[in-house]
Amino acid sequence: MVHFVGAGPGATDLITVRGAELLRNADVVIYAGSLVNPALLGLCRPGAVLYNSAQLTLEQVLDITQKADAAGQQIVRLHTGDPCLYGAIREQMDALQKRGISFDLTPGVSSFCGAAAAAQAEYTLPGVSQTVIITRMAGRTPVPEGENIASLAAHGATMVIFLSAGLLDGLQVELLKGAYTAQTPAALVYKATWPEEKVLRCPLGELAETGRRHGIRNTALVLVGDFLAAGYDRSRLYDPTFTTGFREASQ
Ligand code: SAH
């Protein structure tokens, strides 16, 4: 049996209770060593066999998994954040299915949630944005043409951009082709929830320069949108004049 587990964004106490339990019981752990906090591996029992998938191909991961499964072992495949975002899990799940190996998934706290917490921000503010666009710049992995940054930026919604900290010059240019201006607030959140976390706020027009000044090239998210500015409408849900399914209006 293979358990895909979201490790959370970095802090070791941000794995779920279920994920931690699966790690404690695992015989074999294959972890994404480029981003998973190695301190989490301290949860594993002494006899557990650990593999860093950053040094393996998909075929090698599958070979290790198949052998361990045939020996009746419990396998944890530990991915950073939540496995459903940029986790390359679909190709693993399909291959496991083909081989008749069963698996399940345990979600994790994605880094985009960790980054909001670090910035003490709410992505969906009434009167500002009710939409969060999660995307990335095209790198060695292409992005479908209809999803280019400029077209997504046309909405002026909240944007969270993964895997692009090394491409800030191009990213800034593309974002400015949309509804944002050079004054739209942005933030670079480096290693959210890790001890070395940094939240660097700047106007969008200074994004690339801010990244350069602080030497940020990876493990960061770019947040853009007016949710980082001062203004918003208060929520209807907690408005005394508004009746909800749980509360009558009092005024
Ligand atoms: N599945 C992961 C994302 C994996 S892709 C998740 O849900 O978070 C790897 C990218 O995620 C990095 O390039 C970076 O953009 C982002 N990332 C991962 N952990 C991060 C963290 N703690 N702080 C900021 N960005 C992070």
Side-chain angles (χ1 to χ4, degrees), residues 1-2 28 30 51 58-75 92 95-102:
M1 177 89 188
V2 178
V28 172
I30 307 170
Y51 297 92
L58 171 63
E59 287 70 18
Q60 289 170 320
V61 168
L62 291 170
D63 277 352
I64 293 165
T65 306
Q66 191 155 18
K67 283 190 188 118
D69 185 69
Q73 295 184 312
Q74 291 294 311
I75 303 134
Q92 298 177 66
L96 292 177
Q97 215 146 31
K98 243 189 227 156
R99 289 165 163 79
I101 300 172
S102 48

Side-chain angles (χ1 to χ4, degrees), residues 9 35 80-82 85-86 110-111 162-163 189 191-192 194 219-221:
L35 280 167
T80 183
D82 188 289
L85 289 172
Y86 308 110
S110 175
S111 60
F162 282 70
L163 292 159
V189 183
K191 292 198 108 173
W194 290 71
T219 326
L221 289 171

Side-chain angles (χ1 to χ4, degrees), residues 6 11 33 37 47 73 75 88 92 94 112 116 141 154 168 176 179 181 183 186 192 195 198-199 201 204 215 235 251:
N37 189 339
Q73 295 184 312
I75 303 134
Q92 298 177 66
D94 286 348
F112 84 90
T141 301
L168 293 181
L176 286 171
T181 71
Q183 280 71 49
K198 277 188 200 149
V199 179
R201 294 168 197 268
L204 178 54
S235 74
Q251 292 168 29

Side-chain angles (χ1 to χ4, degrees), residues 194-226:
W194 290 71
E196 55 271 47
E197 166 186 296
K198 277 188 200 149
V199 179
L200 307 168
R201 294 168 197 268
C202 62
L204 178 54
E206 292 169 24
L207 179 68
E209 178 50 30
T210 302
R212 250 190 305 279
R213 203 169 342 113
H214 292 269
I216 309 288
R217 299 202 46 77
N218 50 32
T219 326
L221 289 171
V222 174
L223 317 182
V224 188
D226 283 326

Side-chain angles (χ1 to χ4, degrees), residues 6 20 50 89 104 143 158 223 228 230:
L50 312 180
I89 55 167
D104 62 13
V143 170
T158 296
L223 317 182
L228 289 166

Side-chain angles (χ1 to χ4, degrees), residues 24-185:
R24 280 192 203 97
N25 291 328
D27 301 301
V28 172
V29 176
I30 307 170
Y31 64 97
S34 52
L35 280 167
V36 164
N37 189 339
L40 269 176
L41 303 173
L43 291 174
C44 300
R45 52 183 191 72
V49 184
L50 312 180
Y51 297 92
N52 179 356
S53 64
Q55 292 151 359
L56 303 172
T57 61
L58 171 63
E59 287 70 18
Q60 289 170 320
V61 168
L62 291 170
D63 277 352
I64 293 165
T65 306
Q66 191 155 18
K67 283 190 188 118
D69 185 69
Q73 295 184 312
Q74 291 294 311
I75 303 134
V76 164
R77 180 69 174 98
L78 191 62
H79 284 271
T80 183
D82 188 289
C84 78
L85 289 172
Y86 308 110
I89 55 167
R90 174 69 188 270
E91 60 193 25
Q92 298 177 66
M93 294 191 290
D94 286 348
L96 292 177
Q97 215 146 31
K98 243 189 227 156
R99 289 165 163 79
I101 300 172
S102 48
F103 58 87
D104 62 13
L105 293 105
T106 298
V109 177
S110 175
S111 60
F112 84 90
C113 301
Q120 301 189 330
E122 179 176 353
Y123 289 138
T124 53
L125 286 175
V128 177
S129 176
Q130 292 289 289
T131 304
V132 183
I133 297 175
I134 289 173
T135 188
R136 62 169 299 169
M137 284 279 275
R140 279 193 290 178
T141 301
V143 170
E145 177 47 35
E147 299 172 17
N148 66 69
I149 298 276
S151 67
L152 298 176
H155 298 279
T158 296
M159 282 183 78
V160 180
I161 300 133
F162 282 70
L163 292 159
S164 305
L167 304 165
L168 293 181
D169 284 293
L171 176 62
Q172 179 176 324
V173 168
E174 291 305 304
L175 287 168
L176 286 171
K177 289 183 188 164
Y180 310 119
T181 71
Q183 280 71 49
T184 299

